[in-house]
Amino acid sequence: MTIHLTERAPATGAGPEAVSLRAVRRVHGLGEGAVTALDGVTLGFPAGSFTAVMGPSGSGKSTLLHCAAGLERPTEGSVRVAGTELGPLGEHALTLLRRERIGFVFQSFNLVSSLTAEQNVSLPLRLAGRRVDRGAVRRALAEVGLADRAGHRPGQLSGGQQQRVAIARALVSGPEVLFADEPTGALDTASSREVLRLLRAAVDRHGRTVVMVTHDPVAAAVADRVVFLADGRVADLADGLDATGIATRTTRWEV
Ligand code: ADP
Ligand code: MG
């Protein structure tokens, strides 16, 4: 069955959807060995909202993010980001859209080890052939509290600091949507808290839309609402979690 998340009052704002997936299926491989990672997911992420995605390992969380961010193409169904349908876009147009409208943060930071923090942050602008505004790069680093680490390479930074550089890199081009796949998964408690604060600020202060995969109920409690995946389907939705991981005002659907 189809789930229309937006028929319910969104947790924040009442604006249009920044990202929407309609009947998205994603199958890896062919024939006997085929694995259905997503099995008909219909979801909307309202602009200016913070959604956590939870679910067991292998339930399709990363695949959901990759499809929503244009990093993987769905086998069936459609994805719309900031008003643009991704399916008809060719590789070049998709790459441009990703660079300009979408930021992505990974569990393992994915910084370029030979580049300084400042060079890592300016990399998306360079790749896009945009003039690198050093002021903007410095401001992005200052925003994540690393103005004094601009010249450090990843190996000279803690895990938490590296993830903050990755967040600055994801936000420097001013994307509407930020996806984060277990961004605190490799961090200690204090660093996790700082990363969550930055993601929350991206929503509250800058009006961005954040979609974050996490295993951690404490991290999910920072979000406005939680999507639970199981076996590639939306199993449950909650308006939020309390810090103990208890879903609040949960509505259950047959799926
Ligand atoms: P999660 O992030 O929730 O752990 P994933 O989205 O990574 O789940 O994976 C969902 C399912 O798809 C799993 O069964 C996984 O093994 C499978 N899968 C993911 N990526 C690939 C791939 N590139 N090739 C084959 N199977 C894959
Ligand atoms: Mg994953």
Side-chain angles (χ1 to χ4, degrees):
M1 91 173 243
T2 305
I3 296 170
H4 294 287
L5 249 191
T6 49
E7 286 179 5
R8 314 173 64 220
T12 55
E17 289 173 353
V19 182
S20 58
L21 294 87
R22 196 167 50 76
V24 170
R25 266 171 57 78
R26 171 69 169 138
V27 181
H28 294 288
L30 296 167
E32 296 269 305
V35 176
T36 302
L38 290 179
D39 193 10
V41 170
T42 296
L43 272 176
F45 300 97
S49 67
F50 190 150
T51 303
V53 179
M54 303 188 80
S57 184
S59 59
K61 305 181 296 298
S62 293
T63 305
L64 174 71
L65 251 59
H66 293 167
C67 288
L71 292 168
E72 275 182 51
R73 299 230 187 221
T75 308
E76 288 173 33
S78 64
V79 177
R80 181 179 276 267
V81 176
T84 302
E85 198 79 49
L86 301 191
L89 300 182
E91 285 309 312
H92 182 64
L94 189 58
T95 300
L96 291 183
L97 180 129
R98 271 203 314 266
R99 279 188 194 145
E100 289 175 5
R101 322 294 291 268
I102 296 170
F104 208 105
V105 175
F106 302 88
Q107 177 173 358
S108 49
F109 324 136
N110 290 13
L111 299 177
V112 179
S113 60
S114 60
L115 300 182
T116 65
E118 183 172 355
Q119 289 166 336
N120 267 286
V121 173
S122 63
L123 195 57
L125 304 176
R126 283 175 206 282
L127 289 172
R130 279 160 69 174
R131 191 180 64 81
V132 174
D133 175 353
R134 269 195 100 184
V137 173
R138 293 278 172 147
R139 279 194 298 281
L141 278 170
E143 186 100 13
V144 300
L146 291 175
D148 58 344
R149 297 288 192 276
H152 287 55
R153 293 193 168 73
Q156 300 169 307
L157 299 170
S158 71
Q161 290 171 332
Q162 289 182 61
Q163 193 61 300
R164 281 147 64 194
V165 172
I167 291 171
R169 178 182 60 180
L171 293 177
V172 72
S173 56
E176 280 102 323
V177 188
L178 180 63
F179 295 101
D181 195 350
E182 306 199 33
T184 63
L187 303 180
D188 60 46
T189 306
S191 300
S192 295
R193 198 177 304 129
E194 181 61 20
V195 161
L196 294 168
R197 192 185 66 74
L198 292 170
L199 297 179
R200 189 69 243 182
V203 175
D204 295 342
R205 290 176 49 193
H206 303 289
R208 302 192 208 284
T209 305
V210 172
V211 183
M212 172 184 73
V213 169
T214 185
H215 282 298
D216 178 4
V218 175
V222 173
D224 302 316
R225 49 173 213 166
V226 187
V227 172
F228 296 93
L229 288 188
D231 296 328
R233 296 168 183 234
V234 177
D236 220 338
L237 302 160
D239 289 334
L241 291 186
D242 70 21
T244 61
I246 305 297
T248 55
R249 292 196 290 139
T250 304
T251 308
R252 286 172 192 280
W253 278 267
E254 287 296 317
V255 289

